[in-house]
Amino acid sequence: GDIILVGGAGGLSTGAVGGTGGNVVFTPGAAGSGSTSKAGVVRTANPGGYVAPQVTPATMTPAATMTIANLLKRLITATHTAGATAAYTLPTGTNMSSTYDFQTDDSFEWSLINLSAAAVDTVTLTANTDHTFVGAPIVLSAHATTIQGSFATIRSRKVSGLVWESYRVG
């Protein structure tokens, strides 16, 4: 049968107290004291055993400012006909931190696929307040001459407080 783990619901929110829902945390064991000891990991029982839901991807058009809700869909498709690059601005650090109880160094990955047909219809990921971008920010279009670069995998990481960095990792 299924095993379902659910963090506790947040209490009544009065100002800055209460309201935050409980997290579900899996913590592997620490390494022993021997010279060949290794720390444990969290793993599934078989390679095909991990399945995550994929909600309908977020869709963007020119000059969009993304939100944490867009990024947490884990897949964003871009289609525009601007005849030039479209700036997709990352969410602010405040927006990134306001919805979920992210801790320092928590991260998640999301992907952007540029479905625009013309070669000039690129997407440029741009920084925002308390949210920097590291790596090549331009995602090429799906045009036949640029199709190899028409997607990007991004890892967004909470640095501290309301400060975030997003890295192009693929």
Side-chain angles (χ1 to χ4, degrees):
D2 295 341
I3 296 175
I4 300 172
L5 303 173
V6 179
L12 293 175
S13 180
T14 51
V17 180
T20 301
N23 297 317
V24 175
V25 179
F26 296 97
T27 305
S33 60
S35 63
T36 60
S37 296
K38 296 179 181 178
V41 297
V42 175
R43 68 169 50 102
T44 61
N46 65 57
Y50 176 75
V51 176
Q54 175 61 62
V55 298
T56 302
T59 56
M60 298 284 167
T61 57
T65 297
M66 296 182 277
T67 66
I68 183 66
N70 297 139
L71 302 188
L72 287 176
K73 287 187 174 197
R74 312 268 184 182
L75 188 57
I76 299 171
T77 59
T79 306
H80 72 90
T81 56
T85 192
Y88 285 26
T89 305
L90 294 170
T92 65
T94 298
N95 182 254
M96 293 289 288
S97 299
S98 66
T99 306
Y100 295 96
D101 186 26
F102 289 113
Q103 304 297 309
T104 296
D105 291 328
D106 280 352
S107 68
F108 62 93
E109 288 189 358
W110 52 278
S111 296
L112 174 74
I113 303 170
N114 186 353
L115 300 174
S116 303
V120 296
D121 290 334
T122 61
V123 170
T124 299
L125 296 168
T126 60
N128 204 336
T129 305
D130 292 327
H131 193 163
T132 58
F133 188 80
V134 178
I138 297 173
V139 181
L140 300 175
S141 72
H143 188 270
T145 62
T146 61
I147 197 161
Q148 294 297 325
S150 65
F151 64 91
T153 301
I154 312 297
R155 180 175 296 132
S156 294
R157 177 180 76 94
K158 182 174 182 176
V159 176
S160 64
L162 300 177
V163 178
W164 284 76
E165 287 183 339
S166 288
Y167 310 87
R168 185 168 183 168
V169 296

